[in-house]
Amino acid sequence: MQDYGSMKPGELRQLIRDKRITCHTSGMAAGYAQANLVILPNEYADDFMEYTRLNPAPCPVLEVLRHTPYTRIMADGANILTDIPEYRVYRCGKLCNVCSDVSGIWQEDMTGFLIGCSFSFEEALIKSGIEMRHIAMNRNVPMYKTNIMTVPYGAFSGPTVCSMRPMTMQQAMLAARITAAMPNVHGAPIHIGSPDKLGIADIMKPDYGAPVDIRSGEVCVFWPCGVTPQAAIENAKPPLVITHSPGHMFITDILNSELNGVLEAQKKAR
């Protein structure tokens, strides 16, 4: 993973396209933002966009792709159908397939959404001396469905999904300050402390990803997660939806330090 961390996004996307990288992307392309993916039929796109607007912490939109799988803002001409290590395919709200290429499933009357990812702020936390336990253990980050419900819109509703990273309380306070300045990749933690406050019965049994060691004196720190739309999709039941598999992200060409500026410039250009 350390070798992947020093590689450029375009190099990694080529390896992913060639099926030479099939694992989770945490720690890859250090310094560059990563993104979650949702692709759904155009008839659902406007309602989903409003759902993300009402729920900006778990669903910060980075780029919208209408009628095309090729990115323009987050990368120059990358393909969201081939450049993610693993995809999930939902039909009528049910997960029906997991695969590494969805070119044959995509339809022209679909819209893609790239959504901010917490992997993007991990570099800043590591530089501040906070270990990312899942990276140290070479595991996907643990993610949990919580009892915090998103604001519903149209057919979309469901629980907020959170990613969790254990650390000391002192580190948690530092992490909260650092990530609060990064709203486009989920911002500050949603909860620090006991998992049962979020309705999580067993912290060692995440809904997505893999469990990590929690050491004596550490607290659980939870951030809103871009897997949240997948829970909403299960309720909305569109005929066809394509998403990334949790932890298997789209690696952008945008530095974390430049992401907010790029997005603000895009808003002004509209």
Side-chain angles (χ1 to χ4, degrees):
M1 195 63 69
Q2 288 183 348
D3 290 339
Y4 291 155
S6 63
M7 293 179 68
K8 296 297 184 183
E11 296 173 318
L12 289 165
R13 290 196 302 269
Q14 185 63 57
L15 291 175
I16 291 168
R17 200 175 305 133
D18 294 340
K19 312 298 186 290
R20 293 170 62 187
I21 291 177
T22 58
C23 62
H24 64 82
T25 57
S26 178
M28 294 187 185
Y32 289 88
Q34 298 193 27
N36 303 272
L37 175 71
V38 175
I39 305 173
L40 37 64
N42 288 342
E43 62 188 282
Y44 289 85
D46 288 345
D47 279 4
F48 183 75
M49 174 65 88
E50 183 62 13
Y51 176 76
T52 65
R53 190 190 69 80
L54 294 170
N55 298 280
C59 308
V61 174
L62 305 183
E63 183 172 359
V64 179
L65 297 89
R66 297 186 184 273
H67 308 289
T68 178
Y70 295 103
T71 58
R72 182 178 60 86
I73 300 170
M74 290 295 105
D76 184 12
N79 189 337
I80 59 171
L81 307 178
T82 61
D83 295 358
I84 288 175
E86 189 175 274
Y87 299 86
R88 287 186 165 195
V89 180
Y90 293 83
R91 295 187 185 274
C92 299
K94 299 292 186 181
L95 176 63
C96 65
N97 193 18
V98 176
C99 54
S100 59
D101 188 321
V102 290
S103 300
I105 303 170
W106 181 80
Q107 301 168 3
E108 288 189 4
D109 62 342
M110 301 188 86
T111 298
F113 294 82
L114 289 174
I115 295 171
C117 171
S118 62
F119 287 174
S120 301
F121 63 58
E122 291 180 339
E123 180 203 20
L125 299 187
I126 292 170
K127 283 184 175 179
S128 296
I130 304 173
E131 180 188 73
M132 296 291 97
R133 189 67 40 76
H134 59 288
I135 294 179
M137 297 179 68
N138 194 24
R139 294 183 179 181
N140 197 355
V141 68
M143 293 160 273
Y144 307 83
K145 292 180 179 178
T146 73
N147 58 11
I148 300 174
M149 301 305 292
T150 57
V151 179
Y153 189 84
F156 297 98
S157 65
T160 299
V161 176
C162 286
S163 60
M164 188 280 292
R165 295 160 181 82
M167 58 191 72
T168 67
M169 181 58 77
Q170 183 178 10
Q171 290 173 331
M173 295 298 100
L174 175 59
R177 291 196 296 273
I178 291 170
T179 57
M182 306 174 76
N184 291 304
V185 291
H186 303 307
I190 201 168
H191 178 66
I192 299 172
S194 178
D196 61 11
K197 298 293 186 182
L198 296 181
I200 299 169
D202 189 343
I203 197 66
M204 300 311 291
K205 294 182 179 179
D207 294 293
Y208 314 93
V212 296
D213 295 340
I214 302 172
R215 298 169 184 160
S216 177
E218 291 184 331
V219 294
C220 296
V221 187
F222 297 88
W223 277 269
C225 177
V227 176
T228 297
Q230 296 187 26
I233 286 161
E234 293 172 3
N235 291 328
K237 298 179 173 60
L240 174 63
V241 177
I242 301 166
T243 74
H244 70 294
S245 280
H248 299 70
M249 318 307 296
F250 177 83
I251 302 172
T252 79
D253 287 341
I254 309 299
L255 288 167
N256 294 316
S257 59
E258 298 176 357
L259 182 60
N260 287 348
V262 168
L263 294 175
E264 287 303 315
Q266 287 296 318
K267 290 177 184 177
K268 293 177 181 178
R270 291 172 189 164

